[in-house]
Amino acid sequence: MMSGEEEAPTPQQEPEQVKKTDEPPPAAAAEKEEEEEEKLAKLASGSGSPAAAEEEKPITYRALVLTGYGGCDKIKLQVKSMKKASLKAGEVLVRVKACGLNFAELLGKQGLYELLPAPPVTLGMEGSGVIEAVAEDVTDRKVGDRVMAMNRHGMWQELAVVPANCTFPIPDGMSFEEAAALPINYMTAYMMLFEMANLRPGKSVLIHMAAGGVGIAATQLCQTVKDVTIFGTASASKHETISQGGVTHPIDYRTKDYVTEIRKISPKGVDIVLDPLGGSDTQKGFGLLKPLGMLIVFGAANCVTGQKKNLLAMAKTWYNQLTLNTLKLMQTNKAISGFHLGYIRDEELFEETLVKLLELYQQGKIKPHIDSCYHFEEVADAMKRMHDRQNIGKVILLPEPKKSEEKPESNAEAAENLEKAETAVSEKKEDAAEEVEAGKD
């Protein structure tokens, strides 16, 4: 998050008018003379030049700020200001074009994401855009570079100051929306599957929330390995999409017991379980593991049941959490691992992973699936869509001000509208054909 942020004055605020006198008093005249001398001194040194004045002039930008814990009404769209010349060593200034929405932000607004500073704080961990300024010591980035960027928070704003080593060049052909959708979800999926679980040919994987950002990323990455069987849980309306995306066996978790369904197909269970749910689902996941299998817990989505913190849901989730000792692990020949991208501080690992992911993108093996795009003004709608688990893929936020006639539209809605339009055209053709036949008669 940028330092030195402050509220910009609103257009309604007018400077106080000072009454003018015909002649300034002697003291005022002396002060005025001193000011003129200071201006001349600045001009002589170059600090008072038009270029320097332009450099010191504050620039304003819009930001989505969490003002307190609770519902979406606690996220306010504010106008802030900063000095363009305030970059520290190793930093760059990015004009943000697109931002990624992650489940961590849903937790953060409820006070459940421990890495997020206390409000007021600008949200957002990933984004993409164009570099507008670089610190003097930054040599591997330049003004005009298209980059994706990551930070602990502070990416949901039009201008973001980030460490240069947390920015990565966007490949040719990749949109700003795709670039904002890739870092968090794909790095999470890649590290779990390949750094932790050591995914190999012939293995089987259970992916919960298979239609979400991490779910689709994990599915695509599993397909880079031969003969991997993928079980994916999602609501029935999303099965066609995730099947086309590579899920071998989609399961409707709302109407069926996924444990029973998996056992019908694979009596021995699965080799890897990716668990973002927590609670009783962690116990089920451990029970589904084959000997030498691995359960990776990387979330507690079961804690979030409403717009505000639900203490009962949290208590239920933690009460049903899996508890065992190392002797039990030895006897079952199973492994349990935890993953949290936010607690990884290894910058080299980040860079290595992202380089591999961009290579896979350029090879056409992975491609972020954009569910929908919302302008900053519509952040509540965007968060509600993810909270209600309506999204298929990544939800993107756009800093660019919304035009009055624009309306956010998901891929599913676009397809539905196209189908309606085609039906209407078909009906008109049929009506016209009937009129022609009637004329002949």
Side-chain angles (χ1 to χ4, degrees), residues 207-225:
I207 302 174
H208 285 294
M209 300 173 71
V214 174
I216 287 180
T219 300
Q220 292 180 2
L221 289 168
C222 282
Q223 290 181 281
T224 65
V225 180

Side-chain angles (χ1 to χ4, degrees), residues 9 14 19 31 33 36 50 66 91 111 125 164 171 175 203 224 248 257 296 328 330 341 350 403 440:
E14 297 291 338
K19 292 182 180 180
E31 289 177 4
E33 187 176 346
E36 291 296 331
L66 180 67
E91 292 181 337
M125 299 188 295
S175 68
K203 296 297 182 179
T224 65
T248 317
D257 176 18
I296 302 178
K328 178 75 171 179
M330 291 171 57
L341 189 66
F350 277 168
K403 297 177 182 177
K440 289 180 180 179

Side-chain angles (χ1 to χ4, degrees), residues 130-247:
V130 180
I131 292 181
E132 285 203 350
V134 299
E136 292 182 0
D137 64 329
V138 175
T139 58
D140 56 349
R141 298 286 183 270
K142 65 182 184 300
V143 174
D145 283 351
R146 298 170 71 247
V147 295
M148 60 183 73
M150 299 172 62
N151 215 346
R152 301 293 173 186
H153 55 86
M155 290 305 302
W156 287 7
Q157 48 192 4
E158 291 177 313
L159 288 172
V161 174
V162 295
N165 59 8
C166 292
T167 64
F168 305 89
I170 298 176
D172 294 338
M174 176 182 279
S175 68
F176 285 118
E177 290 80 7
E178 288 179 330
L182 188 139
I184 301 296
N185 289 164
Y186 281 81
M187 289 179 71
T188 296
Y190 187 95
M191 290 183 184
M192 289 192 298
L193 288 171
F194 298 111
E195 300 291 347
M196 282 188 161
N198 192 23
L199 179 63
R200 301 187 304 281
K203 296 297 182 179
S204 55
V205 184
L206 168 59
I207 302 174
H208 285 294
M209 300 173 71
V214 174
I216 287 180
T219 300
Q220 292 180 2
L221 289 168
C222 282
Q223 290 181 281
T224 65
V225 180
K226 292 183 179 179
D227 302 324
V228 172
T229 301
I230 305 170
F231 296 87
T233 63
S235 56
S237 61
K238 301 176 181 178
H239 283 192
E240 182 178 357
T241 302
I242 64 174
S243 294
Q244 292 173 352
V247 172

Side-chain angles (χ1 to χ4, degrees), residues 55-85:
E55 196 73 16
E56 293 177 3
K57 183 180 178 181
I59 50 179
T60 60
Y61 58 95
R62 305 190 315 154
L64 288 172
V65 179
L66 180 67
T67 58
Y69 298 129
C72 293
D73 60 313
K74 296 297 184 180
I75 301 176
K76 305 293 185 183
L77 180 56
Q78 298 181 355
V79 177
K80 294 177 173 286
S81 67
M82 67 173 291
K83 290 183 179 179
K84 194 170 184 178

